[in-house]
Amino acid sequence: MNRQQVVEGNPIPSGYLAGAPAGPRTAVVFGGGGITGIAWELGVLARLLEVGIPLDDADLVVGTSAGSVVGTTLRLGASGIADAYAEQLVPAAATPEAALDGEDFMQRIGQAIQGATNAEEARARLGALARQVPVTGDEPELVTAMRGRFGADAAWPEGQLAICTVDATDGEFRVLTAASGVPLHVAVAASCSVPLVWPTVEVDGRPTMDGGIRSGTNADVADAAERVLVLSCGPELAQSPLGPTLPGVVSTRMGADRPVFVIEADAESIASFGANSLSSANRGPAAEAGRRQAEGVVEAVRAFWAGTAA
C-alpha cells in the first residue's frame, strides 16, 4: 500500500506532543511488528539511507513497539542504522524472545474487549490482563534489554522523537517524548511490552504497555506534518475498537490533499517473518526482505521526501 498526496499541514492532536514545535514539515512513522518487524524496518531504512534519501532529517519520528526501537536508533544517528541492519544478519545474542501464536493472541484480545463501550475501556481491559504477567527477575526483561541496547543514561536525542505507549490501568494513550522525563530505555521498553506476553513497564509509577494496542502505527500522532512517510509491518483493519487505524489516517489525509506515503510489508516480506514475530530466528530473512522491498520504491520515496512527487 503505497499512497501519496500533496498538501498543507494540520495541528498535532492536542496533548500528544507537549512541547513540540508547531507544524513539523516532515515525519517518519515506524509501526510495530515484533523482532522480525524491527529487522524488516531496518532493512527498508538502511537501503533508503544508503541511496541518499535523508530520512534522518525528519522533523518528527514516531515509533510504536518495534518501531520505537528503530525510530530511536535513527534519531541517535543515521550511521547506527547500517550497523543495526548488519546485526540482523547474524545469530542473535541475548535478545528477549517469546512464543506468540498470532491467532490465539487475537482471539484472547477479542474475548477481553467484547462489550467495551469505548476504545479506552477496551484498552484498559487488555491492560488488566497485561498486569497479570509476572516479572521474573529484578525488573522486566525488556527494560534490561533496552538498557543494554541504548544505555542506562542515554539522553533523548535532540530531534523530536515520539514513543507510543498505553497506560495498562485506565487505557489512556500516552506519547512519551524528551519532555516526559522518562529514561529513554524505559520508554522504549514500555512501548514494546506486548500484553499477555511480557510484563508491563512502570512509567511514572503507572504500569504501561505496548502502544501497538491502540494502533499498529499510531500514524495520527504525526498528523501535523506536511509530509508523512509510514513503515507498516503489515495491513491494518479498516476500523478497530481499540483506536484509530492506518487506513483511516491515510484516507483522511488523502481526502484533504495532504501527502502520505506508506511502505507496507508485502506478501514476500510477511512470509519472511515466519509464524512467530517475537522470535529472532527469522530476523535475517526479514531484514533482507525489507531491503529488497525498499529497492522497489527508492525513486518514489526520493521524490516524496523532496516534495517533488506529482
Side-chain angles (χ1 to χ4, degrees), residues 217-254:
T217 57
N218 291 300
D220 59 313
V221 173
D223 197 48
E226 295 177 10
R227 294 194 302 284
V228 179
L229 173 67
V230 183
L231 270 64
S232 173
C233 295
E236 291 185 33
L237 297 173
Q239 293 183 314
S240 167
L242 293 164
T245 66
L246 181 57
V249 172
V250 169
S251 177
T252 298
R253 290 189 69 96
M254 290 177 68

Side-chain angles (χ1 to χ4, degrees), residues 167-196:
D167 188 303
T169 300
D170 60 13
E172 180 185 2
F173 179 55
R174 185 177 181 193
V175 179
L176 302 177
T177 69
S180 303
V182 178
L184 180 61
H185 73 282
V186 172
V188 176
S191 186
C192 291
S193 296
V194 181
L196 310 178

Side-chain angles (χ1 to χ4, degrees), residues 89-244:
L89 306 180
V90 298
T95 299
E97 296 188 3
L100 178 65
D101 181 323
E103 186 173 337
D104 176 69
F105 181 73
M106 295 308 296
Q107 208 169 51
R108 293 176 70 185
I109 286 180
Q111 291 170 352
I113 68 176
Q114 188 173 10
T117 57
N118 56 53
E120 274 201 359
E121 180 187 344
R123 297 193 297 262
R125 290 187 180 190
L126 288 178
L129 294 178
R131 299 198 309 273
Q132 295 175 18
V133 179
V135 176
T136 57
D138 294 333
E139 65 180 0
E141 186 179 10
L142 287 175
V143 173
T144 303
M146 296 309 164
R147 180 187 294 109
R149 178 181 289 268
F150 298 117
D153 301 317
W156 282 72
E158 291 184 9
Q160 279 291 322
L161 172 64
I163 294 178
C164 301
T165 69
V166 169
D167 188 303
T169 300
D170 60 13
E172 180 185 2
F173 179 55
R174 185 177 181 193
V175 179
L176 302 177
T177 69
S180 303
V182 178
L184 180 61
H185 73 282
V186 172
V188 176
S191 186
C192 291
S193 296
V194 181
L196 310 178
V197 176
W198 281 309
T200 59
V201 171
E202 189 171 295
V203 174
D204 291 338
R206 305 280 294 184
T208 304
M209 62 182 177
D210 190 342
I213 288 304
R214 176 181 181 264
S215 164
T217 57
N218 291 300
D220 59 313
V221 173
D223 197 48
E226 295 177 10
R227 294 194 302 284
V228 179
L229 173 67
V230 183
L231 270 64
S232 173
C233 295
E236 291 185 33
L237 297 173
Q239 293 183 314
S240 167
L242 293 164

